[in-house]
Amino acid sequence: MSDTTQQVLSPATNGYGADSIQVLEGLEAVRKRPAMYIGDISVKGLHHLVYEVVDNSIDEALAGYCHNIVVNIYPDNSVSVEDDGRGIPTGMNTKEQRNALELVMTMLHAGGKFDKNTYKVSGGLHGVGVSCVNALSSDLHVTVQRDGKKYEQAYKIGIPQYPVREIGLSDKTGTRVHFHPDASIFITTVYNREILESRLRELSFLNKGVKIVFNDYREPDEQGMTYTKIFYSEGGIVEFLEMLDANAGRNPLIPKVIYVNGIDEGTHVAVEIALTYNDSFSEHIYSYVNNINTIEGGTHVAGFRRALTRVFKSYGDKQNHFEKAKVEIEGDDYREGLSAIISVKVPEPQFEGQTKTKLGNNEVSGIVDTTVSKVLEAFLEENPREAKSIIQKVILAAQARAAARKARELVQRKSVLSGGGLPGKLADCSERSPERCELYLVEGDSAGGTAKQGRDRGFQAILPLRGKILNVEKAMEHRIYENEEIRNMYTALGVTVGTPEDPKALNLAKLRYHKVIIMTDADVDGSHIATLILTFIYRYMSALVEQGYIYIAQPPLYLVKKGKEQAYAWTEDQRTLQIERIGGGKEDSVSVQRYKGLGEMNASQLWDTTMNPETRTLKQVTIESATEADRVFSMLMGDEVAPRRDFIESHAKYARLDV
Ligand code: 0RA
């Protein structure tokens, strides 16, 4: 927004006096440092605006007044959120001597001051409220229906354009907020349908009984109709868990998901948990606080784990199951194949951790522990057959752990540290100092061959990986250490596997490369393989991700050519641009080659486009992006397989750009 426009809208000219100066200062602060309020000014922050408004409607639903929410994206990328709640109050607020609606829309944190006794999920992660959305919108229009009437007010960059006014009668109640994200603030103002859908779907599971209708008016569906999705779940997190496990191909070990719920009378903390066991070998706990995904866990997760271990241990001991099996059971063994969703609602959550997604409230762990224990104990008593399946699974986990230790020791012995030598398939570089060395993990022997020819052997090493690498999600731990490709990675990198106490902890003291670059074909299969490699690294070598050593290579998608002139393109836009430039807009005068695999490039092309540090683009994998990829991956797989393919194909969510 330019200075001149702001002057036109200044308080002096639109009839607002001295008392609105304070409000303006608040909104001004938001516009000066938007990232402080909504995280960033890119895709994430842009979508956060929608979440913020929807959260307010969800609060109305939690208070028991709202049942339907409609979210619309319009062709101009403006968004409206409409609910059938009580409607934001429109009367005079006696203390502030201002209209309540205007206060809610323009004063930071004003929304929550009205009724204290209900849960609020809004104002969660960044704690901002709808006034923040208002401040960051070039235009916003709110309509409220309540007390038999309909009211409206409009704003520009948060500044009211006229006093709240009546515009007619109404026998309904509710609130509609329609906003245009300010293009002078956001890097992009184009909404992503999938991102919004995935969050709205999640919200419908986390708040059962609330119907969320989503319309995207920008582009019709395949039938030429308005693109519409309805998100509604009667089963809530039980259904959510069933969907997540089914999408990941995990099969249930017990016929029915175990459901736990309760409210602590003293603290008003509400606990809702769905859990089950499946045939996989990993633990999947999805946790939420006030509808926010707490990827770093916290006291609610700790309380859950503690209760689970204690209840199963005491049950197994009592029945002499463990004694008979002659294995020592550890805490982790109780959670192999466990899938759970923990959703707690906490009146005043304290968020901690690097990404502020770790619950800190100490009282919550005891509350969750007690609630879970009660239900689990009763479940085991009443369902001996299911109890037996779970106990057998726990014993199997303990036995597998012993086998894994042996396999791990084998890897250890064969590793460089113990003088075992480098893998035969590794084409190493001559440079010795790790900071300057790069290791390319290349899919397939033939692409590996091209990479070997194309590389700078001074500092670039190549390790070809054959075919599909093991899916560590599905395989037992000792199989992982027995896998040749995985063992080669350990030895080539020069890292050791960790200690028996913490097998996944990595010793990086002798790490041989500070850039590890995953290079696969730019098609679905290639992305799938990259995902498998990344999943392995993320689960077993997360220290490498934390240190920022993991990258994904970006081979080009197209070669545009006319006579001697040629150019590479990494995106559809670049392709169009190069056709324009080289062919003068005539598409038939140029040849466009779509690279499906690395094998279609010769060594010098591969060097120019993908390996030469001067010209290549690498995407760095960060812990946040890897966690997010992990999360979005299982989450996105809603109704059909198609979105999964699209998602894997675009694989943009892994990483941030790093040139
Ligand atoms: C303040 C007080 C009340 C409701 C709301 C705000 C409210 C805010 C939003 C934002 C979107 N939809 C909303 N619906 C309601 C309580 C009103 C009362 O006591 O009647």
Side-chain angles (χ1 to χ4, degrees), residues 57-58 60-61 65-71 81-85 173-175 209-213 230-232:
S57 303
I58 294 280
E60 269 301 277
Y65 299 102
C66 160
H67 307 281
N68 296 283
I69 301 172
V70 182
V71 178
V81 178
E82 191 174 348
D83 69 53
D84 60 354
T173 65
T175 306
V210 183
K211 183 165 142 193
I212 307 177
V213 178
I230 298 174
F231 301 109
Y232 173 81

PDB file of all heavy atoms in Angstrom, residues 57-58 60-61 65-71 81-85 173-175 209-213 230-232:
ATOM      1  N   SER A  57     -14.491 -19.235  13.845  1.00  0.00           N
ATOM      2  CA  SER A  57     -15.742 -19.951  13.630  1.00  0.00           C
ATOM      3  C   SER A  57     -15.737 -21.282  14.372  1.00  0.00           C
ATOM      4  O   SER A  57     -16.752 -21.701  14.938  1.00  0.00           O
ATOM      5  CB  SER A  57     -15.967 -20.203  12.140  1.00  0.00           C
ATOM      6  OG  SER A  57     -15.961 -18.977  11.433  1.00  0.00           O
ATOM      7  N   ILE A  58     -14.575 -21.948  14.383  1.00  0.00           N
ATOM      8  CA  ILE A  58     -14.446 -23.212  15.118  1.00  0.00           C
ATOM      9  C   ILE A  58     -14.705 -22.974  16.611  1.00  0.00           C
ATOM     10  O   ILE A  58     -15.345 -23.779  17.289  1.00  0.00           O
ATOM     11  CB  ILE A  58     -13.039 -23.840  14.912  1.00  0.00           C
ATOM     12  CG1 ILE A  58     -12.844 -24.268  13.461  1.00  0.00           C
ATOM     13  CG2 ILE A  58     -12.815 -25.004  15.871  1.00  0.00           C
ATOM     14  CD1 ILE A  58     -13.459 -25.591  13.056  1.00  0.00           C
ATOM     15  N   GLU A  60     -16.698 -20.815  17.861  1.00  0.00           N
ATOM     16  CA  GLU A  60     -18.155 -20.748  17.995  1.00  0.00           C
ATOM     17  C   GLU A  60     -18.753 -22.149  18.018  1.00  0.00           C
ATOM     18  O   GLU A  60     -19.706 -22.427  18.735  1.00  0.00           O
ATOM     19  CB  GLU A  60     -18.766 -19.947  16.825  1.00  0.00           C
ATOM     20  CG  GLU A  60     -18.918 -18.468  17.057  1.00  0.00           C
ATOM     21  CD  GLU A  60     -19.795 -18.120  18.262  1.00  0.00           C
ATOM     22  OE1 GLU A  60     -21.033 -18.097  18.130  1.00  0.00           O
ATOM     23  OE2 GLU A  60     -19.218 -17.872  19.340  1.00  0.00           O
ATOM     24  N   ALA A  61     -18.169 -23.037  17.208  1.00  0.00           N
ATOM     25  CA  ALA A  61     -18.642 -24.424  17.172  1.00  0.00           C
ATOM     26  C   ALA A  61     -18.353 -25.117  18.498  1.00  0.00           C
ATOM     27  O   ALA A  61     -19.206 -25.827  19.046  1.00  0.00           O
ATOM     28  CB  ALA A  61     -17.985 -25.172  16.020  1.00  0.00           C
ATOM     29  N   TYR A  65     -22.472 -23.282  19.336  1.00  0.00           N
ATOM     30  CA  TYR A  65     -23.413 -22.415  18.616  1.00  0.00           C
ATOM     31  C   TYR A  65     -23.311 -22.497  17.097  1.00  0.00           C
ATOM     32  O   TYR A  65     -24.199 -22.036  16.401  1.00  0.00           O
ATOM     33  CB  TYR A  65     -23.222 -20.961  19.039  1.00  0.00           C
ATOM     34  CG  TYR A  65     -23.483 -20.748  20.508  1.00  0.00           C
ATOM     35  CD1 TYR A  65     -22.432 -20.630  21.411  1.00  0.00           C
ATOM     36  CD2 TYR A  65     -24.791 -20.695  20.996  1.00  0.00           C
ATOM     37  CE1 TYR A  65     -22.667 -20.453  22.760  1.00  0.00           C
ATOM     38  CE2 TYR A  65     -25.041 -20.523  22.349  1.00  0.00           C
ATOM     39  CZ  TYR A  65     -23.970 -20.405  23.227  1.00  0.00           C
ATOM     40  OH  TYR A  65     -24.217 -20.237  24.550  1.00  0.00           O
ATOM     41  N   CYS A  66     -22.202 -23.017  16.589  1.00  0.00           N
ATOM     42  CA  CYS A  66     -22.010 -23.014  15.134  1.00  0.00           C
ATOM     43  C   CYS A  66     -21.912 -24.449  14.629  1.00  0.00           C
ATOM     44  O   CYS A  66     -21.273 -25.294  15.250  1.00  0.00           O
ATOM     45  CB  CYS A  66     -20.725 -22.228  14.822  1.00  0.00           C
ATOM     46  SG  CYS A  66     -19.998 -22.558  13.216  1.00  0.00           S
ATOM     47  N   HIS A  67     -22.595 -24.735  13.530  1.00  0.00           N
ATOM     48  CA  HIS A  67     -22.581 -26.093  12.969  1.00  0.00           C
ATOM     49  C   HIS A  67     -22.063 -26.128  11.542  1.00  0.00           C
ATOM     50  O   HIS A  67     -21.673 -27.181  11.060  1.00  0.00           O
ATOM     51  CB  HIS A  67     -23.984 -26.693  13.035  1.00  0.00           C
ATOM     52  CG  HIS A  67     -24.573 -26.618  14.410  1.00  0.00           C
ATOM     53  ND1 HIS A  67     -24.209 -27.513  15.402  1.00  0.00           N
ATOM     54  CD2 HIS A  67     -25.427 -25.740  14.985  1.00  0.00           C
ATOM     55  CE1 HIS A  67     -24.841 -27.185  16.531  1.00  0.00           C
ATOM     56  NE2 HIS A  67     -25.583 -26.118  16.301  1.00  0.00           N
ATOM     57  N   ASN A  68     -22.120 -25.004  10.874  1.00  0.00           N
ATOM     58  CA  ASN A  68     -21.722 -24.963   9.460  1.00  0.00           C
ATOM     59  C   ASN A  68     -20.744 -23.826   9.195  1.00  0.00           C
ATOM     60  O   ASN A  68     -20.944 -22.696   9.658  1.00  0.00           O
ATOM     61  CB  ASN A  68     -22.954 -24.752   8.568  1.00  0.00           C
ATOM     62  CG  ASN A  68     -23.914 -25.925   8.674  1.00  0.00           C
ATOM     63  OD1 ASN A  68     -23.686 -26.983   8.100  1.00  0.00           O
ATOM     64  ND2 ASN A  68     -24.978 -25.754   9.459  1.00  0.00           N
ATOM     65  N   ILE A  69     -19.713 -24.154   8.425  1.00  0.00           N
ATOM     66  CA  ILE A  69     -18.736 -23.141   8.020  1.00  0.00           C
ATOM     67  C   ILE A  69     -18.559 -23.270   6.504  1.00  0.00           C
ATOM     68  O   ILE A  69     -18.450 -24.393   5.998  1.00  0.00           O
ATOM     69  CB  ILE A  69     -17.380 -23.362   8.732  1.00  0.00           C
ATOM     70  CG1 ILE A  69     -17.563 -23.308  10.260  1.00  0.00           C
ATOM     71  CG2 ILE A  69     -16.344 -22.341   8.275  1.00  0.00           C
ATOM     72  CD1 ILE A  69     -16.330 -23.704  11.056  1.00  0.00           C
ATOM     73  N   VAL A  70     -18.580 -22.157   5.808  1.00  0.00           N
ATOM     74  CA  VAL A  70     -18.350 -22.191   4.359  1.00  0.00           C
ATOM     75  C   VAL A  70     -17.123 -21.344   4.042  1.00  0.00           C
ATOM     76  O   VAL A  70     -17.041 -20.183   4.455  1.00  0.00           O
ATOM     77  CB  VAL A  70     -19.564 -21.640   3.578  1.00  0.00           C
ATOM     78  CG1 VAL A  70     -19.304 -21.726   2.074  1.00  0.00           C
ATOM     79  CG2 VAL A  70     -20.835 -22.405   3.941  1.00  0.00           C
ATOM     80  N   VAL A  71     -16.188 -21.943   3.342  1.00  0.00           N
ATOM     81  CA  VAL A  71     -14.989 -21.213   2.932  1.00  0.00           C
ATOM     82  C   VAL A  71     -14.997 -21.107   1.408  1.00  0.00           C
ATOM     83  O   VAL A  71     -15.109 -22.117   0.717  1.00  0.00           O
ATOM     84  CB  VAL A  71     -13.709 -21.948   3.394  1.00  0.00           C
ATOM     85  CG1 VAL A  71     -12.460 -21.218   2.924  1.00  0.00           C
ATOM     86  CG2 VAL A  71     -13.702 -22.101   4.918  1.00  0.00           C
ATOM     87  N   VAL A  81     -15.095 -16.458   4.674  1.00  0.00           N
ATOM     88  CA  VAL A  81     -15.392 -17.492   5.660  1.00  0.00           C
ATOM     89  C   VAL A  81     -16.701 -17.111   6.318  1.00  0.00           C
ATOM     90  O   VAL A  81     -16.835 -16.002   6.849  1.00  0.00           O
ATOM     91  CB  VAL A  81     -14.274 -17.587   6.727  1.00  0.00           C
ATOM     92  CG1 VAL A  81     -14.625 -18.639   7.764  1.00  0.00           C
ATOM     93  CG2 VAL A  81     -12.933 -17.889   6.088  1.00  0.00           C
ATOM     94  N   GLU A  82     -17.658 -18.027   6.243  1.00  0.00           N
ATOM     95  CA  GLU A  82     -19.000 -17.722   6.731  1.00  0.00           C
ATOM     96  C   GLU A  82     -19.402 -18.781   7.732  1.00  0.00           C
ATOM     97  O   GLU A  82     -19.139 -19.967   7.516  1.00  0.00           O
ATOM     98  CB  GLU A  82     -19.946 -17.751   5.530  1.00  0.00           C
ATOM     99  CG  GLU A  82     -21.303 -17.206   5.793  1.00  0.00           C
ATOM    100  CD  GLU A  82     -22.124 -17.138   4.496  1.00  0.00           C
ATOM    101  OE1 GLU A  82     -21.540 -17.305   3.396  1.00  0.00           O
ATOM    102  OE2 GLU A  82     -23.330 -16.934   4.603  1.00  0.00           O
ATOM    103  N   ASP A  83     -20.004 -18.388   8.844  1.00  0.00           N
ATOM    104  CA  ASP A  83     -20.474 -19.394   9.801  1.00  0.00           C
ATOM    105  C   ASP A  83     -21.876 -19.071  10.282  1.00  0.00           C
ATOM    106  O   ASP A  83     -22.382 -17.970  10.091  1.00  0.00           O
ATOM    107  CB  ASP A  83     -19.489 -19.526  10.971  1.00  0.00           C
ATOM    108  CG  ASP A  83     -19.461 -18.308  11.881  1.00  0.00           C
ATOM    109  OD1 ASP A  83     -20.536 -17.870  12.364  1.00  0.00           O
ATOM    110  OD2 ASP A  83     -18.353 -17.775  12.127  1.00  0.00           O
ATOM    111  N   ASP A  84     -22.523 -20.089  10.923  1.00  0.00           N
ATOM    112  CA  ASP A  84     -23.859 -19.878  11.476  1.00  0.00           C
ATOM    113  C   ASP A  84     -23.820 -19.845  13.003  1.00  0.00           C
ATOM    114  O   ASP A  84     -24.670 -20.402  13.675  1.00  0.00           O
ATOM    115  CB  ASP A  84     -24.844 -20.936  10.951  1.00  0.00           C
ATOM    116  CG  ASP A  84     -24.426 -22.358  11.317  1.00  0.00           C
ATOM    117  OD1 ASP A  84     -23.315 -22.535  11.881  1.00  0.00           O
ATOM    118  OD2 ASP A  84     -25.205 -23.291  11.069  1.00  0.00           O
ATOM    119  N   GLY A  85     -22.786 -19.207  13.529  1.00  0.00           N
ATOM    120  CA  GLY A  85     -22.676 -19.013  14.982  1.00  0.00           C
ATOM    121  C   GLY A  85     -23.559 -17.869  15.464  1.00  0.00           C
ATOM    122  O   GLY A  85     -24.487 -17.455  14.762  1.00  0.00           O
ATOM    123  N   THR A 173     -28.552 -16.167  12.303  1.00  0.00           N
ATOM    124  CA  THR A 173     -27.398 -15.595  12.995  1.00  0.00           C
ATOM    125  C   THR A 173     -26.128 -16.103  12.341  1.00  0.00           C
ATOM    126  O   THR A 173     -26.130 -17.178  11.749  1.00  0.00           O
ATOM    127  CB  THR A 173     -27.351 -15.997  14.489  1.00  0.00           C
ATOM    128  OG1 THR A 173     -27.164 -17.413  14.572  1.00  0.00           O
ATOM    129  CG2 THR A 173     -28.605 -15.574  15.229  1.00  0.00           C
ATOM    130  N   GLY A 174     -25.088 -15.334  12.465  1.00  0.00           N
ATOM    131  CA  GLY A 174     -23.811 -15.779  11.920  1.00  0.00           C
ATOM    132  C   GLY A 174     -22.918 -14.626  11.520  1.00  0.00           C
ATOM    133  O   GLY A 174     -23.282 -13.450  11.637  1.00  0.00           O
ATOM    134  N   THR A 175     -21.715 -14.999  11.060  1.00  0.00           N
ATOM    135  CA  THR A 175     -20.700 -14.019  10.696  1.00  0.00           C
ATOM    136  C   THR A 175     -20.114 -14.382   9.341  1.00  0.00           C
ATOM    137  O   THR A 175     -19.903 -15.556   9.065  1.00  0.00           O
ATOM    138  CB  THR A 175     -19.549 -14.030  11.737  1.00  0.00           C
ATOM    139  OG1 THR A 175     -20.106 -13.848  13.044  1.00  0.00           O
ATOM    140  CG2 THR A 175     -18.533 -12.941  11.459  1.00  0.00           C
ATOM    141  N   GLY A 209     -18.674 -33.282  13.788  1.00  0.00           N
ATOM    142  CA  GLY A 209     -20.014 -32.698  13.758  1.00  0.00           C
ATOM    143  C   GLY A 209     -20.067 -31.328  13.116  1.00  0.00           C
ATOM    144  O   GLY A 209     -21.138 -30.838  12.796  1.00  0.00           O
ATOM    145  N   VAL A 210     -18.905 -30.700  12.929  1.00  0.00           N
ATOM    146  CA  VAL A 210     -18.903 -29.403  12.251  1.00  0.00           C
ATOM    147  C   VAL A 210     -18.775 -29.644  10.746  1.00  0.00           C
ATOM    148  O   VAL A 210     -17.885 -30.361  10.302  1.00  0.00           O
ATOM    149  CB  VAL A 210     -17.715 -28.520  12.703  1.00  0.00           C
ATOM    150  CG1 VAL A 210     -17.795 -27.153  12.034  1.00  0.00           C
ATOM    151  CG2 VAL A 210     -17.690 -28.382  14.207  1.00  0.00           C
ATOM    152  N   LYS A 211     -19.675 -29.074   9.985  1.00  0.00           N
ATOM    153  CA  LYS A 211     -19.623 -29.266   8.532  1.00  0.00           C
ATOM    154  C   LYS A 211     -18.876 -28.092   7.901  1.00  0.00           C
ATOM    155  O   LYS A 211     -19.238 -26.945   8.107  1.00  0.00           O
ATOM    156  CB  LYS A 211     -21.046 -29.348   7.992  1.00  0.00           C
ATOM    157  CG  LYS A 211     -21.126 -29.626   6.511  1.00  0.00           C
ATOM    158  CD  LYS A 211     -22.530 -30.042   6.149  1.00  0.00           C
ATOM    159  CE  LYS A 211     -22.921 -29.472   4.807  1.00  0.00           C
ATOM    160  NZ  LYS A 211     -24.360 -29.602   4.576  1.00  0.00           N
ATOM    161  N   ILE A 212     -17.845 -28.401   7.159  1.00  0.00           N
ATOM    162  CA  ILE A 212     -17.080 -27.351   6.495  1.00  0.00           C
ATOM    163  C   ILE A 212     -17.203 -27.528   4.981  1.00  0.00           C
ATOM    164  O   ILE A 212     -16.795 -28.553   4.436  1.00  0.00           O
ATOM    165  CB  ILE A 212     -15.592 -27.386   6.907  1.00  0.00           C
ATOM    166  CG1 ILE A 212     -15.456 -27.353   8.436  1.00  0.00           C
ATOM    167  CG2 ILE A 212     -14.834 -26.220   6.279  1.00  0.00           C
ATOM    168  CD1 ILE A 212     -14.020 -27.452   8.939  1.00  0.00           C
ATOM    169  N   VAL A 213     -17.805 -26.552   4.328  1.00  0.00           N
ATOM    170  CA  VAL A 213     -17.948 -26.602   2.869  1.00  0.00           C
ATOM    171  C   VAL A 213     -16.868 -25.716   2.267  1.00  0.00           C
ATOM    172  O   VAL A 213     -16.629 -24.603   2.740  1.00  0.00           O
ATOM    173  CB  VAL A 213     -19.344 -26.105   2.438  1.00  0.00           C
ATOM    174  CG1 VAL A 213     -19.461 -26.105   0.908  1.00  0.00           C
ATOM    175  CG2 VAL A 213     -20.428 -26.971   3.055  1.00  0.00           C
ATOM    176  N   ILE A 230     -16.935 -31.131   0.630  1.00  0.00           N
ATOM    177  CA  ILE A 230     -17.580 -31.019   1.935  1.00  0.00           C
ATOM    178  C   ILE A 230     -16.797 -31.859   2.931  1.00  0.00           C
ATOM    179  O   ILE A 230     -16.556 -33.045   2.701  1.00  0.00           O
ATOM    180  CB  ILE A 230     -19.038 -31.492   1.880  1.00  0.00           C
ATOM    181  CG1 ILE A 230     -19.816 -30.594   0.926  1.00  0.00           C
ATOM    182  CG2 ILE A 230     -19.680 -31.469   3.271  1.00  0.00           C
ATOM    183  CD1 ILE A 230     -21.235 -31.043   0.669  1.00  0.00           C
ATOM    184  N   PHE A 231     -16.362 -31.230   4.011  1.00  0.00           N
ATOM    185  CA  PHE A 231     -15.639 -31.954   5.043  1.00  0.00           C
ATOM    186  C   PHE A 231     -16.515 -32.068   6.277  1.00  0.00           C
ATOM    187  O   PHE A 231     -16.937 -31.061   6.857  1.00  0.00           O
ATOM    188  CB  PHE A 231     -14.321 -31.240   5.379  1.00  0.00           C
ATOM    189  CG  PHE A 231     -13.424 -31.112   4.181  1.00  0.00           C
ATOM    190  CD1 PHE A 231     -13.214 -29.875   3.586  1.00  0.00           C
ATOM    191  CD2 PHE A 231     -12.817 -32.233   3.630  1.00  0.00           C
ATOM    192  CE1 PHE A 231     -12.406 -29.760   2.470  1.00  0.00           C
ATOM    193  CE2 PHE A 231     -12.008 -32.123   2.509  1.00  0.00           C
ATOM    194  CZ  PHE A 231     -11.803 -30.888   1.933  1.00  0.00           C
ATOM    195  N   TYR A 232     -16.809 -33.299   6.629  1.00  0.00           N
ATOM    196  CA  TYR A 232     -17.683 -33.530   7.773  1.00  0.00           C
ATOM    197  C   TYR A 232     -17.350 -34.905   8.326  1.00  0.00           C
ATOM    198  O   TYR A 232     -17.256 -35.875   7.584  1.00  0.00           O
ATOM    199  CB  TYR A 232     -19.143 -33.491   7.326  1.00  0.00           C
ATOM    200  CG  TYR A 232     -20.113 -33.885   8.415  1.00  0.00           C
ATOM    201  CD1 TYR A 232     -20.493 -32.958   9.391  1.00  0.00           C
ATOM    202  CD2 TYR A 232     -20.629 -35.177   8.478  1.00  0.00           C
ATOM    203  CE1 TYR A 232     -21.358 -33.323  10.403  1.00  0.00           C
ATOM    204  CE2 TYR A 232     -21.498 -35.544   9.487  1.00  0.00           C
ATOM    205  CZ  TYR A 232     -21.859 -34.614  10.446  1.00  0.00           C
ATOM    206  OH  TYR A 232     -22.711 -34.981  11.457  1.00  0.00           O
TER     207      TYR A 232
END
